[in-house]
Amino acid sequence: WNILPYPAKISVDRYLKHGWSVEASATYSEYKVGKMVQCSTDVSSILAAFDLNAKHSFYSYYAPRHRWIEPYFSMGVGYTYRSSALVAQHVPTVNLGFGLNFWFTKNLGIQLHSNGKLGVYPGFWDTHSNYFQHSAGIMFRWHTKKSRRSDFGRKKSQWAHGNKRYKQKGGH
């Protein structure tokens, strides 16, 4: 495990609808000598990853009355840079993951996430660029207004939009 004493991942998640959301994240980590990396313990390098994932939450299926726990899965694409000579330095990835959000209040929670990253260069399955990434973090949620439309299309008065107040006699 390569754990840093400071936050090493930042992500922004935007809810779309029906349990789907989009997440963009950036990660930084350091490989230290003595830790197992690609079947070797004498590696010292850095890792930087940038990902774009689609997430689907199962809270409405799993426990609709228990909104404090929110299981989800994620899938997406990413880019990984490693300064190590053991693997390719610049690798595009396909990401598959799952996680749990634990909400303590409406706006504050903890996220546990595991992600498998499959390197697509130099080969999809025959590469040493595949790796797992696990993270734990604190989440803050900001609620936005449901509609960001301007007032241009909104009905301002009933008479201007064809609602006739009085019917004409004689069917006309």
Side-chain angles (χ1 to χ4, degrees), residues 57-71 100-101 103:
S57 174
F58 293 105
Y59 73 88
S60 61
Y61 309 115
Y62 175 75
R65 294 184 185 179
H66 304 290
R67 301 279 175 138
W68 63 273
I69 185 168
E70 181 183 5
L100 286 171
N101 296 333
W103 294 103

Side-chain angles (χ1 to χ4, degrees), residues 155-165:
K155 290 184 179 181
K156 293 182 177 63
S157 57
Q158 290 291 334
W159 62 269
H161 291 279
N163 294 336
K164 295 182 181 178
R165 182 174 260 168

Side-chain angles (χ1 to χ4, degrees), residues 55-129:
K55 291 170 49 178
H56 183 65
S57 174
F58 293 105
Y59 73 88
S60 61
Y61 309 115
Y62 175 75
R65 294 184 185 179
H66 304 290
R67 301 279 175 138
W68 63 273
I69 185 168
E70 181 183 5
Y72 66 89
F73 80 89
S74 64
M75 59 186 162
V77 294
Y79 165 78
T80 300
Y81 168 78
R82 294 184 196 155
S83 64
S84 171
L86 294 176
V87 294
Q89 286 188 335
H90 304 280
V91 178
T93 60
V94 174
N95 307 330
L96 298 171
F98 63 92
L100 286 171
N101 296 333
F102 298 97
W103 294 103
F104 301 119
T105 67
K106 189 176 180 179
N107 299 327
L108 179 66
I110 290 179
Q111 181 182 64
L112 302 175
H113 182 78
S114 289
N115 212 5
K117 298 189 173 206
L118 303 171
V120 294
Y121 175 79
F124 195 68
W125 298 109
D126 273 344
T127 180
H128 294 288
S129 299

